[in-house]
Amino acid sequence: MRHTSKDETTYVKDLKEKVSDSVKKRGWERFHNPQDLAESICIEAAELLQIFQWISEKEALEYRTKSEKMKKIGEELADVLIYLLSLSNVVELDISQVIEDKIEVNEEKYPADKHKSKF
């Protein structure tokens, strides 16, 4: 029997609502302005990067078998995504649509037949 991941069953809308509810319950709306959220995204992304600082690609991939490392990676990824979703809530962006739009721009800008990796 195949295990279904939450990624397969969770809607972005639901995540955005959970983030919004969490912020409201704590009275954090006053801190959640575009500039502070953008700064927080950068800070949390730097914390994610720090996990991989000074290690090889092989060592980084080996983290998949180390539960403590995966827990820390998951926490930092979650922090980044929570702030991204919160920023999209504050500025009222349909994040799914802007992602699809950006992929389309990239498809036009970097056609696969001309920009396929040769490695």
Side-chain angles (χ1 to χ4, degrees):
M1 179 181 208
R2 185 174 174 270
H3 171 67
T4 303
S5 75
K6 296 267 306 180
D7 281 352
E8 295 178 47
T9 60
T10 304
Y11 291 98
V12 173
K13 172 181 121 358
D14 296 335
L15 291 174
K16 288 179 75 170
E17 287 174 3
K18 284 183 180 185
V19 168
S20 180
D21 290 346
S22 179
V23 168
K24 287 176 186 167
K25 283 181 194 174
R26 288 157 183 79
W28 289 348
E29 297 96 335
R30 65 181 181 205
F31 305 114
H32 282 223
N33 61 74
Q35 180 178 337
D36 288 343
L37 289 167
E39 289 170 355
S40 295
I41 291 164
C42 292
I43 291 164
E44 295 300 337
E47 290 178 12
L48 175 62
L49 182 58
Q50 191 173 29
I51 296 169
F52 300 101
Q53 187 176 24
W54 312 121
I55 65 170
S56 69
E57 178 182 352
K58 183 178 183 271
E59 290 170 305
L61 289 171
E62 288 171 356
Y63 281 178
R64 292 181 292 193
T65 63
K66 298 178 177 162
S67 62
E68 282 304 311
K69 290 291 186 182
M70 290 303 294
K71 183 176 187 284
K72 184 66 176 155
I73 291 166
E75 288 172 354
E76 298 307 336
L77 280 172
D79 286 341
V80 171
L81 187 54
I82 287 166
Y83 280 126
L84 286 167
L85 293 173
S86 191
L87 179 57
S88 72
N89 283 340
V90 168
V91 298
E92 299 177 353
L93 263 177
D94 181 338
I95 195 69
S96 297
Q97 186 63 57
V98 297
I99 289 170
E100 288 183 15
D101 293 348
K102 182 61 177 176
I103 290 170
E104 189 176 308
V105 166
N106 288 344
E107 292 288 330
E108 290 176 21
K109 191 173 180 180
Y110 306 106
D113 61 332
K114 293 182 181 170
H115 294 276
K116 189 155 183 118
S117 175
K118 295 183 173 61
F119 298 105

